[in-house]
Amino acid sequence: MKQRGKELGIFIIIVVLLAFSYWKNPTVLSSDNLINTSRLIGIYGIMSLGMAFVIITGGIDLSVGSVIALLGVILSILLVDKNAPPSIALGVTVLVGALLGWLNGFLVTRIKLQPFVVTLCGLLLFRGLARFISNDETKGFGDSPSLTWLKTLATGNTVFSIPWPLVFMLILSVVFFFLLHKSTYGRYLFASGYNEESARYAGINSRNIISWAYVICGITTGIAAILFAFYTNSISPSMHGNFYELYAIAAAVLGGCSLRGGEGSIVGVILGTTLLLVIRNLVTMLHIPSSLEFAVMGIVIFVGVLADTLFRKKA
């Protein structure tokens, strides 16, 4: 019921913001703007879904943005430089993302390092690797006709003008909804995030449960990396994916995932992502200086954490 209250509150805020934006600039609700915004909601949403699993464990993954840069570079090298079949290139990209997630989970659960430290090191390491293997040169996919269908997955729409990334996010949301809210794994994940020691005494293999959360985050990061790469069609290894982890963390926290662990929902993450992208779109459409974008995001994260703290004290 408490989570439902949070989700209803976010939904109302989204409606109010859209109404305010329309009042100030009616083009906010134009079909082109809605389609482009929903496309970005799809891509950022996929990334945020995986982050939610990690946050529910009480952890965090600061390396997501750098992993997206590294995977984007790898994907470009495989498709353009090595002429690898698309199915192989896409599979390798997602697999590398999963392996990097597994590595984070291993260091957190087996070596007992702090998630903040592990993923902060990953943020630097994976960014450095992306720049090294690309010789610090911008990678891309050019105008090759053989890659057109892949670009369509990131920039095209279905016959109903629904962006493909949004469709992918909705499909993943359904899968993750049942995994998180209707499966034994989901119950164990919440228990491990709420109190790992108690969960272990209850017979739950919390180390494996938490490790899989990082692997899931790695997989969704791999999928998002593919979509981001084709959406931008250009990967600058020093800039691509910068601060994307902040979007994922903000979306999950806004959606009701507690940074203390043990709380969160898939519906909340989708609403949190939508709210974040609506705010970002509002900054653009109302001609607010783009330099304030991260300031707005910082305020949004702060408000989310503050609200979570106040709700807990009242509970």
Side-chain angles (χ1 to χ4, degrees):
M1 185 62 73
K2 179 183 171 184
Q3 184 62 36
R4 294 291 177 270
K6 287 182 182 178
E7 293 165 1
L8 179 61
I10 297 170
F11 179 75
I12 292 172
I13 292 172
I14 292 171
V15 172
V16 170
L17 282 177
L18 285 176
F20 175 75
S21 303
Y22 181 74
W23 175 57
K24 299 293 288 186
N25 185 350
T27 59
V28 165
L29 295 184
S30 66
S31 59
D32 287 344
N33 187 54
L34 288 177
I35 290 173
N36 190 51
T37 302
S38 57
R39 176 176 291 109
L40 292 174
I41 289 172
I43 303 176
Y44 282 93
I46 291 171
M47 179 176 65
S48 303
L49 285 170
M51 180 67 80
F53 278 76
V54 171
I55 290 180
I56 289 173
T57 69
I60 200 162
D61 190 344
L62 300 175
S63 65
V64 165
S66 296
V67 172
I68 283 176
L70 176 60
L71 296 181
V73 167
I74 291 174
L75 181 64
S76 174
I77 291 174
L78 289 174
L79 286 173
V80 179
D81 298 346
K82 305 297 182 185
N83 290 317
S87 58
I88 299 295
L90 297 182
V92 168
T93 302
V94 176
L95 180 62
V96 173
L99 288 174
L100 296 180
W102 173 85
L103 179 62
N104 285 336
F106 176 82
L107 294 172
V108 169
T109 61
R110 310 290 171 171
I111 312 298
K112 297 296 182 185
L113 297 177
Q114 289 294 319
F116 180 88
V117 175
V118 170
T119 56
L120 179 62
C121 293
L123 181 151
L124 300 171
L125 173 63
F126 301 142
R127 178 69 61 184
L129 285 176
R131 298 182 67 171
F132 175 74
I133 65 175
S134 65
N135 292 321
D136 218 5
E137 296 175 351
T138 298
K139 294 290 183 180
F141 304 100
D143 298 319
S144 173
S146 62
L147 300 179
T148 300
W149 68 275
L150 283 173
K151 295 177 183 176
T152 301
L153 296 179
T155 61
N157 306 324
T158 67
V159 291
F160 301 107
S161 297
I162 301 173
W164 279 111
L166 186 66
V167 174
F168 298 146
M169 183 199 71
L170 293 175
I171 293 172
L172 280 175
S173 298
V174 172
V175 174
F176 287 156
F177 177 86
F178 283 98
L179 180 63
L180 187 62
H181 300 296
K182 302 294 181 183
S183 74
T184 303
Y185 172 79
R187 290 193 295 276
Y188 287 178
L189 184 71
F190 281 115
S192 300
Y194 190 76
N195 191 323
E196 185 180 352
E197 190 173 349
S198 297
R200 196 162 50 246
Y201 282 130
I204 297 173
N205 189 338
S206 56
R207 292 195 300 185
N208 282 349
I209 297 293
I210 294 173
S211 292
W212 272 106
Y214 282 91
V215 173
I216 290 170
C217 185
I219 292 172
T220 56
T221 301
I223 297 172
I226 294 169
L227 294 173
F228 274 122
F230 285 113
Y231 180 75
T232 60
N233 200 34
S234 174
I235 302 114
S236 170
S238 62
M239 298 296 295
H240 188 74
N242 265 351
F243 304 118
Y244 283 10
E245 61 277 354
L246 297 185
Y247 285 99
I249 293 169
V253 171
L254 282 174
C257 292
S258 172
L259 289 172
R260 295 181 178 85
E263 290 183 23
S265 77
I266 296 301
V267 174
V269 174
I270 300 304
L271 288 171
T273 307
T274 303
L275 176 57
L276 200 64
L277 270 297
V278 166
I279 292 173
R280 184 183 178 189
N281 185 247
L282 186 146
V283 169
T284 303
M285 300 301 287
L286 299 187
H287 306 295
I288 297 172
S290 59
S291 54
L292 288 175
E293 181 181 337
F294 286 113
V296 172
M297 196 185 309
I299 293 172
V300 166
I301 295 175
F302 175 76
V303 170
V305 174
L306 182 63
D308 174 59
T309 302
L310 294 177
F311 276 125
R312 280 190 175 239
K313 285 184 177 179
K314 288 184 177 179

